[in-house]
Amino acid sequence: MSEQKRFVPFVSPETNMAEFTARALIIGLLMAVVLGAANAYLGLKAGMTIAATYPAAVIGMALLKLMKGTILEENFARTVGSIGESIAAGAIFTLPAFFIAGIWDPFFTPGHYAISTAIMVAGGILGIMFVALLRRVMVEDVELPFPESVAAAEIHKAGRNGTAGSKYLFSAMGIGAVIQMLGKFKLFAFSYDKVLHFGKGSILFRSPEVSPAYMGVGYIIGPRLAALNFSGGVIAWGLLAPIIAYFKYTAAGDTSMDTTDMLVQVWKDYVRPIAIGGMLVGAAYTLWKMRNSLITGIGRSVSDVKKAATGEVTEIRTEKDLSFTTILGGIGLTAVATFFIYNFFAQDIFAAFVATVVMIIAGFFFAAVSGYLVGIIGSSNNPISGLTLSTLVVAAVLMVALGMKGTQGVAAVLGVAAVVCVSAAVAGEMLQDLKAGHILGGTPWKMQLGDIIGVIIASAVMFIPLFILHEGDIKSGGMGFGGDALPAPQASLMAILSNGIVAGQMEWILIFTGMLMGVGFIMMNVKSPMLVSVGMYLPLGTTFAIFVGGLIKGIVERISAKHNFNDAQKSRVENVGILLAAGLIAGEALIGLLFAGFAFWEVPLLEIFKEPTFIISLAVLLFIAYLLVRIPIKNAGKPEDPASPSVPV
C-alpha cells in the first residue's frame, strides 16, 4: 500500500500559500448566512434545497480574485460558505415541526431561539467531528467519484485562467429579485385559479406559480424528475381531491362551503396524509436501494476509526486533520450538550440519557452514510430527510417504550431527529468540500476549523429568517409553517409522525393507504416514489412551476441535440444554464425574505394594480423561459473550444 503512487494535488503539500485568512473567513461566513437563508426559503416552500458548493465557489472566487487572493483562500471561503446550506437543511426539516406539532406556539421566544441554536451547533459540530475521523479513507477512495467535489475543484482551476461564470450567476440573481419584487408590488398575479365543473363534480385548475425560484429548481433537476414531482400534483388535484370531495360533500348534498375552499380542505385533510404514507415508503425504499453502499460505508468508517486510534498521524500539510484528542473531546462535549437539550425537552434524566446514546450512534452511522452517498451521487441528491425519518421513528418507539407521553415525548423525539438531521447534512457537505480541498491542495484541519466557525455563525443566524418567514406569512393572512405559502413538507411529516406514534394522533387508515400507494409506485418501477409523494403534498402551483422549469431544460437539451453539439459545447450550455437557474433561485429567495420582513414589521407596500391580470404573468413566464434557453445555447461556443468543467445535477 505504501508503494502506491501518491496523489499530487493542484497546490503541492510543500507550497506555503495563504489559506485561512480573515478575508476568506469573512467572505465564507457571509456566504454561509446568505446561501443558508436562501435555501431555508426554498426548502420551506418547495421541500428541497440546492447544493451551495457550486454558487459558493463562483461567488468566493469572484470576490477573492478582486482582492488578488490565492486559490486556497477561494477553497477555504467556499468550504465555509457552503456549510450554511446544510445548517438550513437541518433547520427546515425539523425546527418548524415544533410549531406544527403544537409545541412551540408562538414559534419565537428567546428560549426557543436559544434551544434551536444549541441544536444546530451541537448537530453541526458533531457532524464535523465524525467527518474528521472518516476523511482520509473516504477522500482517497478511488471508487467514490465525488462528482460535485470534482466539478467545484475544476471551477477553481478554471478561474485561475479567467473562465469564471460569475456574471451569469449575479445577473440572474438581479433578474429573479426584480421579478419577485414586481410580483409583490402587484404588477402581475403570481397564479391563476379556476374551478372546472363536470356535472356535479368539480376540479380545481391552478396555473404554474410565477416563480423564478421554482422554475430554476425544475431546470436544475431536469425534465424527468420535474415530471415525477408534477405527477404527484396531478394525482392529488386531478384524482384524489375531486373524488373525495364529490363523495364527502357533493353527493351528500353538503353545499355549505365554497367549491375552491372545499377542494383545498379535502387536499389538506385527506390527500396530504395519504402523501405522507407514500413519503414513508419512498424513504424506506431509497434506503433499501442503497443498503450495499450503507453497509460498505459503515465498515470503512469503523476501519478508519481504528486507524486513528492507533496514532497513525502524518505531518504532511495536505493530510493533517484535527487531532484525535480534539475530535474525541468535541464528540464528548456535544454529547453532554445534547443530554442537557434532551433533558430540557423530556424532563427525564434516564430518557435524556437514552436519547443521547441513540443520537451519538445514529449520528455516527448517518454521518458515514451521508458522506459515502455524497461520494457517489453528490450532496444535491443526498436523502437527508429519509435518514432523519428513520431516526425519528426509532426515537419515537424508544420514547413510548420508556413511558414518555404527550408534549414532552413528542418534543424529545423531534430533538433527537433535529440533531441527527443537522449532523448528517453537515457531514455530507463537509466531506464534499474536503474532497474538493484534497484535489486542490487545501489543509484539512484548517477547513474543519473554518467549518466549525461557520456552523456556529450560521446556527446563530438561521432561526431569524425562519421566524421572519413564518411571522410574515401569518401577518399576510397565511398560516405560517404548514400552510400554503410555507408547507415545509419534511417538517410537517416529522410533526405528524412524532404526534402519531407518541400521542396516538395519527390518521392511520390514510397513512396506510398512502403506504400501499407507495408500494404500487415501486411495483410500477417509478424512479422516485418519494418525489411523487412530495408532489402530492405540495401546492399544485409549486409543482406546476417546477415542471415548467424541467420542460425548459428539456427544450435546451433538444436544441443541443439538434445542433449536434459535442461534449464540450454541451458542458458549456449545462454550466451557464445551471448558473442562471441558481441565480434566479437566490434572487427570489433574498427578495422573498426582504418582503417577509416588510410584512413582519407591517411596512405598507405599493400596489400597482388592485387586481393584477395573469396576461402579464404569462409574459413573465415566457421571459424566464427565453432567458433559460437563449443564453445557455448562445454560450455553447465553437466545437474546437476546450471543455469547461461540468456541473453535475
Side-chain angles (χ1 to χ4, degrees), residues 294-318:
L294 305 185
I295 294 169
T296 304
I298 291 300
R300 288 174 177 170
S301 304
V302 173
S303 173
D304 201 42
V305 171
K306 290 179 180 177
K307 289 180 181 179
T310 59
E312 294 181 20
V313 294
T314 177
E315 293 303 318
I316 299 175
R317 178 184 63 81
T318 54

Side-chain angles (χ1 to χ4, degrees), residues 40 47 69 155 196 238 286 314 342 372 384 424 480 488 599 611:
I155 299 299
L196 305 176
T286 299
T314 177
Y342 296 154
Y372 191 77
I384 295 299
E611 297 292 335

